[in-house]
Amino acid sequence: MAVLMCTYCPSDYFADQLESLLAQSHRNFRLWVSDDSPDDSARKALDAYQSGSEGFEFNLIEGPKDGFAANFLTLLCCEDISADYFAFCDQDDVWEQNKLEVAVRTLKEVQPDTPAVYCGRTLLTDESGAETGYSAGRKRKPDFANALVQSLAGGNTMVINQAGRDLVRRAGTPPIVSHDWWVYLLVSGAGGVVLFDPVPTIRYRQHGSNLVGANTSLAANLFRIKMLFHNRFRTWNDVNVRALESAQHLLTPDNRKRFQHFVKARSGNIFSRLYHLRKSGAYRQTVIGNLGLFIATVTGKI
């Protein structure tokens, strides 16, 4: 297994994450670190930890310096990395001891030649590590229709099998919104398997430096609807559509049709937009999310 960690000026929480990696019950993995820091802070932190921790090894490579999504995607596609499973790893979380073990056991139930990704909920903590709640659950089955308009789970929970990684590599490294959303789109779109675990296996630390927060509260959901009217949702869809257009050949015939209907739902008159949205089958996981999707379509902001 390859654990894929991306770093940017690691904070005081970095050692906690490294400790949780060493404590994994599944020990057969290699840590690969892609660093986007403008200095050598990550190298110094890793070297310092290695000097005081027996059995800790890592490979450090220079990141693309183009944001977290590009960093993770480039690392996943790195041809120097060979493994049977690939786990995304943030620099400031804490993994439960069985995190990798559960993911591998679950993915082994899938045929090796079928693209698959394991993901799930997270246990939320504050800066000190105290528990504050859980990330949102998922009420509907993960599939491409959902992936068109919503990312399913945080990349920090994701473990991908070799067939899934090969699929992502075949799609290349286009500009994307986030690596977790892109993996969900590709694996579900290609007819692969998406396994969502309702039992958290990581502690997701919420602090002022988070690039992406948990967004679990009503206020957070209402804020997202507000951002809809500032074209953030449409901007994200612009990026995803361009990326998927170059990877349409990887989608199943049915999902290619769904995608084409979704693209048509983003233009034309209101009746045409609503018709093609329905034909695409696109949906979000919550009632308020689907309300936002409907409003976005009516107002031409999808």
Side-chain angles (χ1 to χ4, degrees):
M1 171 179 283
V3 173
L4 309 178
M5 174 185 282
C6 289
T7 54
Y8 181 84
C9 300
S11 69
D12 295 337
Y13 311 123
F14 193 37
D16 291 344
Q17 176 64 299
L18 297 179
E19 287 282 356
S20 73
L21 293 182
L22 275 181
Q24 289 298 297
S25 56
H26 179 91
R27 300 300 300 273
N28 185 22
F29 67 86
R30 182 79 179 182
L31 175 62
W32 291 81
V33 182
S34 180
D35 183 46
D36 264 355
S37 304
D39 52 33
D40 61 354
S41 57
R43 163 67 74 177
K44 288 181 177 178
L46 287 162
D47 285 344
Y49 189 82
Q50 185 179 51
S51 66
S53 302
E54 183 178 352
F56 179 76
E57 297 181 359
F58 64 91
N59 294 85
L60 180 66
I61 62 177
E62 186 174 351
K65 303 293 194 294
D66 194 27
F68 76 95
N71 199 3
F72 274 110
L73 183 58
T74 301
L75 185 57
L76 179 62
C77 293
C78 179
E79 61 184 21
D80 293 335
I81 304 175
S82 178
D84 47 3
Y85 301 102
F86 304 81
F88 290 135
C89 181
D90 287 356
Q91 68 182 25
D92 50 7
D93 298 327
V94 172
W95 286 6
E96 301 290 6
Q97 188 175 14
N98 66 344
K99 193 260 197 262
L100 293 180
E101 179 184 352
V102 170
V104 170
R105 183 171 65 242
T106 303
L107 285 167
K108 280 185 175 180
E109 297 178 2
V110 180
Q111 291 296 319
D113 59 349
T114 299
V117 56
Y118 165 92
C119 57
R121 299 182 74 182
T122 58
L123 176 61
L124 307 177
T125 72
D126 62 18
E127 293 189 17
S128 69
E131 298 177 9
T132 60
Y134 296 90
S135 65
R138 296 296 180 240
K139 297 181 179 180
R140 301 180 65 175
K141 181 180 178 180
D143 63 21
F144 185 65
N146 179 223
L148 282 170
V149 293
Q150 184 178 24
S151 182
L152 182 73
N156 53 0
T157 71
M158 286 184 166
V159 180
I160 307 161
N161 69 357
Q162 190 175 61
R165 190 264 194 140
D166 291 343
L167 172 68
V168 176
R169 289 191 67 189
R170 287 166 62 194
T173 55
I176 55 173
V177 175
S178 64
H179 56 295
D180 42 25
W181 199 350
W182 182 235
V183 167
Y184 183 28
L185 280 163
L186 285 178
V187 172
S188 63
V193 177
V194 180
L195 303 158
F196 184 85
D197 191 344
V199 180
T201 57
I202 79 159
R203 293 172 175 261
Y204 182 19
R205 196 188 304 267
Q206 301 288 285
H207 55 81
S209 299
N210 282 126
L211 288 175
V212 181
N215 293 308
T216 58
S217 67
L218 176 60
N221 281 298
L222 291 175
F223 177 76
R224 286 196 163 197
I225 291 181
K226 178 183 177 182
M227 288 298 98
L228 179 158
F229 292 100
H230 290 275
N231 283 328
R232 185 168 72 172
F233 187 42
R234 184 171 180 85
T235 299
W236 286 347
N237 287 333
D238 285 341
V239 175
N240 283 341
V241 164
R242 284 194 295 269
L244 278 174
E245 283 175 340
S246 65
Q248 281 193 74
H249 61 288
L250 300 174
L251 306 180
T252 66
D254 284 346
N255 284 332
R256 201 174 302 131
K257 290 179 182 178
R258 287 185 182 277
F259 174 61
Q260 291 165 356
H261 279 297
F262 180 72
V263 171
K264 291 177 181 178
R266 306 185 70 232
S267 61
N269 62 53
I270 184 173
F271 301 107
S272 174
R273 294 197 301 270
L274 288 172
Y275 169 78
H276 286 293
L277 179 70
R278 184 177 66 82
K279 294 292 288 184
S280 75
Y283 69 89
R284 292 177 64 87
Q285 290 284 340
T286 65
V287 172
I288 193 169
N290 282 311
L291 175 61
L293 177 61
F294 175 79
I295 294 172
T297 306
V298 168
T299 59
K301 295 184 179 296
I302 193 177

